Amino acid sequence: MTLAERLAQAMARIPVADLLTGDGDILPETAATPTAAAVLVPVTDRTEPGLVLTQRTEHLRNHAGQIAFPGGRADPGDVDLVATALREAEEEIGLSPHAVTVVGLADRYRTVTGFEVTPVLGVIPPDLTLYPSEAEVANLFEVPLAYVLDPAHHRRVSAPWRGQTRHFYEILWNDRRIWGATAAMIVNLSRRLQWAA
């Protein structure tokens, strides 16, 4: 069975715990209709699979400097959210859509910045040469999938935010801090997959 087939089979299972739907503890009930967006969750096809992540540049308007999946808002020309994720991954890290075996859509997550993000799970060949966009991506790196999916590494923390207390997840790996929406989507994948990489 291929890695993509194993992931697809695992995605069909019922989650072991409740899924995170968004930054609900700080979203006003009157919040406007969210903007549709999608990210690619690129899993490298290795004996021990990895997960490719980016660190955003410091000058971006949204989520500057944060660790994220490649992705962004849906464009009118995108036929669906898979197309959005693949287009954004090509723009941000030079990943050809033809190199991605799309496994399927994961669980949507609504951010405090007004996006409803659909993660698109995909498998990519190992050791591809990727080209980060200087305008958006400060650097990219790969983390072991088994490490980030392990609930032992999912820490729920809190911090003040605009006069409120914001609760969110973070995952620490080496000198990297994965937090916020990206960490929440990884937590959801962990709960959905129930799968040891």
Side-chain angles (χ1 to χ4, degrees):
M1 185 181 298
T2 68
L3 175 60
E5 290 168 339
R6 289 165 56 207
L7 286 167
Q9 189 176 71
M11 284 288 289
R13 297 179 188 148
I14 296 171
V16 294
D18 290 340
L19 297 175
L20 307 171
T21 58
D23 298 328
D25 58 340
I26 52 172
L27 283 171
E29 291 182 15
T30 57
T33 302
T35 301
V39 296
L40 183 66
V41 181
V43 176
T44 53
D45 193 358
R46 305 181 186 280
T47 304
E48 295 184 14
L51 186 63
V52 176
L53 292 164
T54 70
Q55 182 162 4
R56 296 168 61 83
T57 57
E58 294 291 340
H59 66 272
L60 292 173
R61 193 174 78 173
N62 290 316
H63 312 292
Q66 292 182 16
I67 291 172
F69 295 114
R73 73 176 65 224
D75 281 352
D78 296 335
V79 296
D80 56 22
L81 290 171
V82 171
T84 298
L86 294 175
R87 175 184 53 75
E88 287 282 344
E90 187 169 30
E91 291 174 5
E92 290 184 20
I93 63 173
L95 175 59
S96 168
H98 303 294
V100 182
T101 301
V102 174
V103 173
L105 304 181
D107 301 283
R108 288 178 296 184
Y109 188 84
R110 187 170 177 185
T111 71
V112 71
T113 50
F115 293 95
E116 186 169 68
V117 183
T118 299
V120 177
L121 188 60
V123 174
I124 63 173
D127 305 316
L128 284 176
T129 301
L130 300 173
Y131 302 94
S133 164
E134 291 182 12
E136 297 184 69
V137 179
N139 59 59
L140 56 90
F141 59 96
E142 185 176 337
V143 299
L145 184 63
Y147 180 93
V148 294
L149 291 183
D150 185 344
H153 300 129
H154 303 164
R155 295 180 13 163
R156 191 162 191 266
V157 296
S158 61
W161 187 82
R162 296 185 183 177
Q164 301 179 58
T165 300
R166 180 180 181 186
H167 301 278
F168 55 91
Y169 280 89
E170 69 176 10
I171 301 166
L172 305 178
W173 181 76
N174 292 344
D175 60 344
R176 309 281 188 179
R177 178 178 180 243
I178 306 162
W179 68 282
T182 302
M185 286 183 268
I186 291 171
V187 168
N188 279 349
L189 279 174
S190 172
R191 293 175 179 181
R192 173 72 68 185
L193 292 174
Q194 307 170 47
W195 175 76

